Amino acid sequence: MELDLSPKLAKKVYGDDGGSYHAWCPNELPMLREGNIGAAKLALEKNGFALPRYSDSSKVAYVLQGAGVAGIILPESEEKVIAIKKGDAIALPFGVITWWYNKDDSELVVLFMGDTSKAHKAGQFTDFFLTGANGIFTGFTTDFVKRAWDVDDATAKALIGNQNGKGIVKLDANVKMPEPKPDHRKGMVLNCEEAPLDTDIKNAGNVVLLNTKNLPLVGQVGMGADLVRLEGNAMCSPGFSCDSALQVTYIVKGSGRLQVVGVDGKRVLETIVKAGNLLIVPRFFVVSKIADPDGLSWFSIITTPNPVFTHLAGSIGAWKAISPEVLQAAFKVPAETEKVFRSKRSNDAIFFPPPK
């Protein structure tokens, strides 16, 4: 049976006054299960607090909008209290404990994408909460809590029963939370909107790569990522991941046309993508996008920490490396046609400006 590759929106899983948690379901987007990929979004309102939790999956977090504070505790390490803002990417390896807080008026939205190959459910994240009505304290009896944490009966009952929220709560405005420390961002966060551009094509687009060079923690996560911004009506060259990696793409802003070609030259997907859509391109399938007039931006994770792509068009396109005689024979065209084909896109790489 052919997999449904069409882009999907996230659906709400839980939430209340403080915010909500949304996830993509592998039943609706089968490539999540097929590729062992999970994807979810956390949205926090003012004074919203995502309770401390750890996950069964390594992830990359990307701040889609707003600003806030994240607490990150790597195994056997001190807590890092980090100011986060739109454009920040954060690598979250296995075993990391996190909490998230929004003290601003505007909504804080964080995207999570990651590897579920070791998760309880393929294609889904499972979070384990340290506190709350579904936290680990509620599962232990009072005598276990008293003995493990060396507290009296009243304290044990308070730890188990006082917090009746699940996953996300809204704190009183007068509750004091830890202040972020500027030096804690170093080595933990890369702002993709402020980082040096890895590729920048005038009137066409640019890309920032997230890899072990600019954020070493992605090596522990086992994934790379990129933020791509296409100008209005510009095109992204047809290309594929040549190291067998999957590409999981979230549309951050704008809209555009997308085509994917797979086995036997079959076009397996032709669609319009819009902000909020998530899609997964299967291994070795070729994908290309053309932005609508307002442009198109997307954030992707690639299931290898230092991804390698082959582009089929442009100045660095694979066709340029193939000898003329082979191209003539392969396309069954005369030398004149091959020369015209080869002469095009001699200056443009990866992104192509709108036709003049």
Side-chain angles (χ1 to χ4, degrees), residues 275-316:
N277 284 160
L278 184 89
L279 66 139
I280 302 175
V281 178
R283 292 177 175 88
F284 302 110
F285 282 34
V286 179
V287 59
S288 183
K289 307 176 185 75
I290 298 177
D292 285 340
D294 290 336
L296 177 66
S297 301
W298 63 88
F299 183 81
S300 297
I301 62 164
I302 302 96
T303 56
T304 180
N306 295 295
V308 179
F309 288 96
T310 293
H311 293 276
L312 298 179
S315 59
I316 61 171

Side-chain angles (χ1 to χ4, degrees), residues 137-295:
F137 274 90
T138 62
F140 287 108
T141 57
T142 304
D143 62 313
F144 263 67
V145 173
K146 287 170 60 179
R147 185 163 179 181
W149 284 276
D150 191 24
V151 295
D152 59 26
D153 194 67
T155 302
K157 288 180 179 179
L159 292 172
I160 294 170
N162 277 17
Q163 180 55 270
N164 55 18
K166 287 187 176 182
I168 300 170
V169 298
K170 186 168 186 175
L171 300 181
D172 291 335
N174 58 359
V175 171
K176 185 172 177 59
M177 294 292 282
E179 289 296 323
K181 299 180 180 179
D183 60 313
H184 282 185
R185 279 180 65 91
K186 185 177 180 181
M188 299 293 295
V189 180
L190 177 75
N191 189 279
C192 295
E193 296 187 355
E194 299 174 354
L197 300 173
D198 291 276
T199 301
D200 186 15
I201 309 297
K202 186 178 180 181
N203 299 323
N206 58 62
V207 59
V208 171
L209 297 174
L210 184 71
N211 53 35
T212 54
K213 293 180 181 179
N214 52 22
L215 193 62
L217 263 181
V218 301
Q220 293 185 39
V221 174
M223 290 173 289
D226 60 25
L227 175 66
V228 180
R229 289 166 285 198
L230 268 187
E231 301 288 341
N233 297 315
M235 182 180 194
C236 182
S237 166
F240 64 93
S241 171
C242 57
D243 52 7
S244 79
L246 284 167
Q247 187 172 5
V248 188
T249 297
Y250 176 85
I251 306 300
V252 174
K253 183 180 178 182
S255 61
R257 297 167 54 203
L258 175 142
Q259 293 184 357
V260 178
V261 176
V263 180
D264 292 329
K266 183 179 179 182
R267 189 187 316 126
V268 294
L269 181 63
E270 181 172 11
T271 189
I272 301 295
V273 291
K274 300 177 181 179
N277 284 160
L278 184 89
L279 66 139
I280 302 175
V281 178
R283 292 177 175 88
F284 302 110
F285 282 34
V286 179
V287 59
S288 183
K289 307 176 185 75
I290 298 177
D292 285 340
D294 290 336

Side-chain angles (χ1 to χ4, degrees), residues 8-14 21-25 28 39-41:
K8 298 292 190 298
L9 298 170
K11 291 191 173 180
K12 183 177 177 179
V13 179
Y14 63 84
Y21 180 85
H22 306 251
W24 282 267
C25 175
E28 294 186 357
K41 282 196 295 188

Side-chain angles (χ1 to χ4, degrees), residues 14-38:
Y14 63 84
D16 209 335
D17 291 344
S20 54
Y21 180 85
H22 306 251
W24 282 267
C25 175
N27 291 335
E28 294 186 357
L29 192 57
M31 276 301 299
L32 290 172
R33 186 182 291 111
E34 186 79 10
N36 264 316
I37 297 293

Side-chain angles (χ1 to χ4, degrees), residues 41 62-66 86-88 109-111 193 250 252 299:
K41 282 196 295 188
Y62 181 73
V63 182
L64 294 169
Q65 70 179 66
K86 182 176 177 288
D88 279 351
V109 182
V110 184
L111 171 72
E193 296 187 355
Y250 176 85
V252 174
F299 183 81

